[in-house]
């Protein structure tokens, strides 16, 4: 690439100099991909420089994520392809092009944002590459997020070699399985792999002569004598199948068999799910600050996981009730929520419960009030220690798997997994780093409000200690062809005066797996399923949308015959509900065609305890006043119960409406799949998960929140076409329903997650020694970087 580029720049030096002058004239030290491309295209059009378009320079421009100008050089970070970056610099006068290292690039950024004389060559550098040198990694971008498939291949060949040398890896692993002191899978009679093989043959011969439906009570004594313990199957037929799988693996391990075998092992009985921040409850919480999709996700996940674990335990012949604990923060000043209760059974499950543990100040006093997710860092170490005691008391034993959620939950998952020696799984939901422009580089400006220095440090630690990471989409890990992924953004960055990250996380690590969440099919079902409809809610919904004024609403729809554009979200800036109102306000056609109904925040800013929400409430009122929207927009400043919002989506569908998700960035977007599952044609942001969820024009539409007028036009075009061709609405509606049914279900999610837990559990065991250096390094980082920063925060311990 470099040679070609150099030759081209030499040949077209005049045009290239002109382009560089354009970049300089912008007068900003940092340019983003959109600026770089827009200016490039404008320059080509204005100068008629057709030679530039399609040239090696044009190819590089498209791939450049960011440019930094420090005279006499222009620095570029070029994303050659997913996960592969190179750094270049072009001399602004001589046009010399050189490659620079990651560290040099980061150092230049530091010199731009602070006094260059103070940039220290001995800044702390976080670099995991040397530790990972011998660690197996994926190579192809399209394999990213399918880590377990790669791992199975890796484990099979490792096992093959181990078995060849008479290694007892698998045998020792099988001996580990116990439940409350009762040995499972193997008893101590079998001493080596040879004996195991013999045992398997004899057991199979014996079972072949038994009734296929015989259970352990009948066949157990004979199998025990051969060295086996319960856990192979409920019936003789199932036991034989598991025995056969293991025999085949001992003969020649093969990835798909290994996955099947490990997935059948009785490994997960007790599960801890951590979600410390926000109001974690089952009622009156959704829409409160920091309280959105993560809560919905976890509650649905728990139901699906309990069912899956029960089925699996049943199938392996064990009558063990799986215990799932969701551990969150206890908030004494809980308002209308139940967040002040220590224990709460989870609806729709038999044994799962929420366990709440308070945050405490240094002096041991309980923190009484809600705390923003950006402020939780000083409390987490103590929370983890207290939670550990309470979890052990509740479960009566160690959990078999710990799942963290969001940055704080993932850090606590690390602390607990480390203490208890348990497999750690992370779920990010949303990583803040990519949500805010230059959040790391200008961390010092943001820290008083957002404390990103603590959060990003916690992220780096938890991502790298996790045995496996679940992501909802591919783009969450590795982005798209043109935009970097959320995890990818942690591969290198700098926080001046704090530390530089040279190799922070590798998206080619096999720990990443895409397991997408679902929409609760009991609540979000198509509008056309008339028999299931919650008609008892009709009057309430009707008066809420079309009724007169109420203290918790603003606007009264003047023409109820028009279809509704519906949106619902927490009133965060990033959700951009105010942006949607602005697009609507500025599109006379859209105002003519449809009403706008918004659910989010409060009408009265005084009712909100969150600064960003208050600011958005103010902005919303401003827009409604400025554009005189009260007869066309209905704003519901309230939180809707899940069943109610489920029916609301369907009512909007009944009258030919649409759902719009206008976020500046949306990590996944549960409302998007809920609306689609309800059969509501959906327009959603092209930044984040919806880009992958929706196939544009088939199961919905993408809109660019940075181009509001174009987004409004897309909606206008849709309504206009539907008027001429009513079947078009049906087509999009059906497309959305099919998409969710085929890709986003909790049943598929739970099956995959439990299988992954078993495989990574084995991997955790098999690779324990290999990763010790990395773990020790991260421990040091936790102690020397994270703790002092977190403890130094106001209110810190
Ligand atoms: N939600 C709700 N009532 C409300 C606001 C939101 O039930 O008043 C639910 C919504 O249906 C969805 C979740 O909260 O299930 C929001 O999740 P999403 O992933 O869209 O966004 P997040 O809030 O997690 O950023
Ligand atoms: C957090 C978000 O921001 C949403 O995009 C996700 O849908 C939600 O969590 C559930 O993972």
């Amino acid at each position: 690439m470099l040679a070609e580029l150099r030759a081209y720049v030499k040949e077209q030096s005049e045009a290239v100099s002109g382009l560089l002058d354009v970049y300089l004239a912008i007068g900003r030290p940092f340019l983003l991909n959109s600026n770089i491309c827009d200016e490039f295209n404008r320059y080509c059009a204005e100068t008629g420089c057709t030679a530039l378009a399609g040239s090696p320079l044009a190819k590089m421009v498209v791939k450049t994520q960011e440019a930094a100008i420090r005279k006499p050089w222009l620095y570029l970070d070029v994303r050659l392809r997913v996960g592969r970056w190179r750094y270049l610099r072009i001399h602004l006068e001589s046009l010399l092009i050189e490659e620079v290292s990651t560290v040099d690039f980061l150092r230049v950024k530091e010199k731009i944002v602070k006094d260059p004389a103070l940039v220290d060559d001995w800044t702390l550098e976080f670099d995991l590459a040397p530790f990972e040198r011998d660690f197996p990694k994926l190579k192809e971008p399209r394999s990213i997020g399918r880590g377990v498939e790669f791992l199975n291949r890796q484990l099979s060949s490792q096992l093959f070699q181990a078995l060849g040398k008479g290694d007892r890896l698998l045998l020792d692993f099988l001996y580990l399985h116990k439940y409350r002191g009762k040995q499972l899978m193997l008893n101590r009679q079998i001493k080596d792999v040879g004996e195991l093989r013999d045992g398997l043959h004899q057991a199979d011969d014996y079972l072949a002569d038994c009734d296929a439906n015989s259970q352990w009570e009948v066949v157990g004594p004979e199998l025990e004598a051969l060295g086996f313990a319960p856990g192979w199957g409920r019936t003789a037929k199932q036991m034989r199948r598991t025995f056969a799988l293991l025999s085949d693996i001992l003969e020649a391990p093969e990835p798909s068999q290994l996955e099947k075998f490990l997935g059948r092992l009785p490994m997960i009985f007790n599960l801890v799910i951590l979600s410390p921040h926000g109001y974690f409850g089952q009622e009156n919480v959704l829409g409160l600050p920091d309280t959105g999709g993560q809560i919905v996700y976890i509650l649905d996940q728990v139901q699906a996981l309990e069912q899956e674990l029960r089925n699996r335990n049943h199938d392996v012949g064990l009558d063990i009730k799986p215990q799932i604990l969701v551990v969150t923060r206890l908030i004494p000043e809980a308002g209308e929520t139940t967040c002040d209760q220590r224990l709460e059974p989870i609806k729709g499950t038999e044994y799962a419960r929420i366990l709440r543990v308070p945050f405490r100040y240094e002096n041991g006093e309980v923190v009484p009030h809600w705390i923003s997710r950006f402020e939780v860092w000083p409390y987490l170490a103590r929370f983890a220690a207290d939670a550990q005691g309470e979890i052990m008391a509740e479960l009566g034993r160690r959990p078999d798997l710990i799942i963290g959620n969001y940055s704080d939950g993932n850090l606590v998952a690390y602390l607990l997994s480390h203490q208890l020696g348990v497999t750690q799984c992370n779920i990010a939901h949303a990583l803040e780093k990519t949500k805010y422009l230059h959040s790391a580089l200008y961390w010092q400006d943001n820290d008083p409000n957002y404390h990103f220095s603590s959060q990003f440090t916690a992220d780096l630690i938890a991502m790298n200690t996790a045995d496996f990471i679940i992501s909802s989409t591919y783009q969450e890990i590795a982005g798209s062809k043109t935009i970097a992924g959320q995890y990818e953004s942690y591969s290198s960055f700098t926080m001046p005066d704090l530390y530089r990250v040279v190799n922070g996380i590798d998206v080619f690590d096999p720990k990443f797996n895409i397991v997408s969440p679902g929409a609760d099919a009991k609540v979000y079902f198509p509008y056309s399923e008339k028999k299931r409809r919650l008609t008892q809610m009709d009057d309430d919904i009707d008066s809420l949308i079309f009724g007169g004024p109420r203290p918790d609403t603003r606007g009264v729809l003047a023409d109820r015959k028009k279809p509704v554009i519906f949106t619902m979200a927490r009133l965060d800036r990033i959700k951009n509900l105010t942006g949607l109102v602005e697009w609507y306000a500025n599109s006379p056609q859209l105002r003519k065609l449809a009403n706008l109904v918004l659910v989010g925040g409060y009408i009265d800013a005084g009712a909100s305890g969150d600064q960003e929400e208050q600011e958005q409430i103010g902005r919303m009122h401003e827009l409604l006043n400025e554009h005189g929207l009260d007869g066309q927009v209905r704003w519901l400043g309230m939180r809707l119960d899940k069943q109610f919002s489920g029916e609301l989506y369907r009512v909007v569908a009944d009258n030919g409406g649409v759902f719009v998700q206008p976020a500046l960035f949306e990590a996944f977007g549960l409302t998007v799949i809920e609306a689609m599952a309800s059969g509501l044609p959906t327009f959603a942001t092209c930044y984040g998960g919806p880009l992958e969820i929706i196939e544009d024009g088939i199961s919905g539409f993408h809109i660019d929140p940075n181009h509001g007028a174009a987004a409004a036009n897309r909606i206008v075009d849709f309504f206009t076409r539907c008027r001429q061709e009513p079947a078009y609405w049906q087509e999009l509606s059906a497309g959305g329903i099919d998409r969710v049914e085929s890709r986003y279900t909790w049943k598929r999610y739970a099956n995959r997650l439990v299988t992954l837990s078993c495989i990574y559990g084995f991997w955790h065991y098999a690779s324990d020694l290999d990763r010790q250096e990395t773990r020790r390094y991260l421990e040091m980082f936790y102690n020397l970087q994270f703790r002092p920063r977190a403890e130094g925060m106001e209110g810190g311990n």
Side-chain angles (χ1 to χ4, degrees), residues 130-289:
F131 296 99
E132 306 270 304
R133 209 174 289 134
D134 299 325
F135 212 73
K137 294 281 169 67
L138 313 168
K139 296 211 169 45
E140 287 300 320
R142 69 190 155 78
S143 306
I144 291 173
R146 297 190 346 227
V148 78
E149 293 169 26
F150 174 85
L151 202 63
N152 279 331
R153 287 197 295 274
Q154 198 68 29
L155 278 171
S156 309
S157 67
Q158 198 172 317
L159 254 184
F160 187 73
Q161 285 171 12
L163 288 168
K165 287 190 231 136
D167 194 288
R168 300 171 41 105
L169 181 69
L170 191 57
L171 191 67
D172 289 343
F173 182 67
L174 290 175
Y175 277 130
L176 285 184
H177 300 291
K178 286 194 181 75
Y179 186 77
R180 295 195 185 279
K182 186 172 154 64
Q183 188 66 39
L184 303 174
M185 304 309 288
L186 294 182
N187 63 40
R188 286 281 161 189
Q189 282 183 44
I190 293 178
K191 299 279 180 308
D192 57 37
V193 174
E195 283 186 28
L196 178 59
R197 273 198 192 99
D198 289 347
L200 288 168
H201 290 148
Q202 291 176 43
D204 188 60
D205 286 348
Y206 165 69
L207 290 175
D209 293 336
C210 299
D211 178 341
N213 291 318
S214 314
Q215 301 201 1
W216 188 263
E217 293 74 54
V218 177
V219 297
E222 189 68 26
L223 295 179
E224 297 250 13
L226 293 170
F228 297 99
W232 294 87
R234 178 152 295 268
T235 61
K237 190 172 163 197
Q238 284 167 321
M239 291 176 212
R240 286 188 74 194
R241 233 184 270 146
T242 319
F243 285 143
L245 265 176
L246 182 56
S247 293
D248 288 349
I249 289 168
L250 294 179
E251 183 75 19
E254 196 256 307
S256 68
Q257 280 170 330
L258 191 65
E259 171 163 337
K260 259 194 221 146
F261 178 70
L262 292 175
R264 277 170 181 232
L265 292 184
M267 284 170 72
I268 316 286
F269 305 112
N270 293 343
L271 187 61
V272 165
I273 298 177
L274 291 155
S275 181
H277 77 257
Y279 290 94
F280 198 108
Q282 303 182 77
E283 260 157 43
N284 294 330
V285 296
L286 291 179
L288 286 172

Side-chain angles (χ1 to χ4, degrees), residues 293-294 297 427 429-430 435 472 517 570 575 666-670:
Q294 181 170 325
Y297 180 120
I427 304 177
H429 295 282
K435 280 198 199 169
S472 298
R570 289 178 292 114
K575 294 289 184 185
E666 186 62 60
F668 181 71
L670 288 175

Side-chain angles (χ1 to χ4, degrees), residues 573-635:
R573 195 175 48 79
I574 202 98
K575 294 289 184 185
N576 200 28
L577 295 198
T578 48
L580 173 60
V581 172
E582 209 170 347
W583 311 342
Y584 178 80
N586 290 324
S587 168
Q589 282 174 292
L590 197 53
R591 288 170 70 163
K592 213 163 124 198
L593 284 165
N595 291 311
L596 176 61
V597 174
L598 316 152
V599 177
Y602 298 92
I603 304 298
D604 171 16
S608 167
D610 184 69
Q611 195 193 327
E612 206 171 295
E613 191 176 54
Q614 288 167 354
E615 179 259 314
Q616 285 293 298
I617 293 170
R619 177 77 189 129
M620 191 71 89
H621 284 297
E622 239 171 63
L623 286 167
L624 297 176
N625 294 338
E626 193 185 317
H627 297 277
L629 292 169
D630 281 308
Q632 293 163 320
V633 176
R634 176 84 157 173
W635 170 22

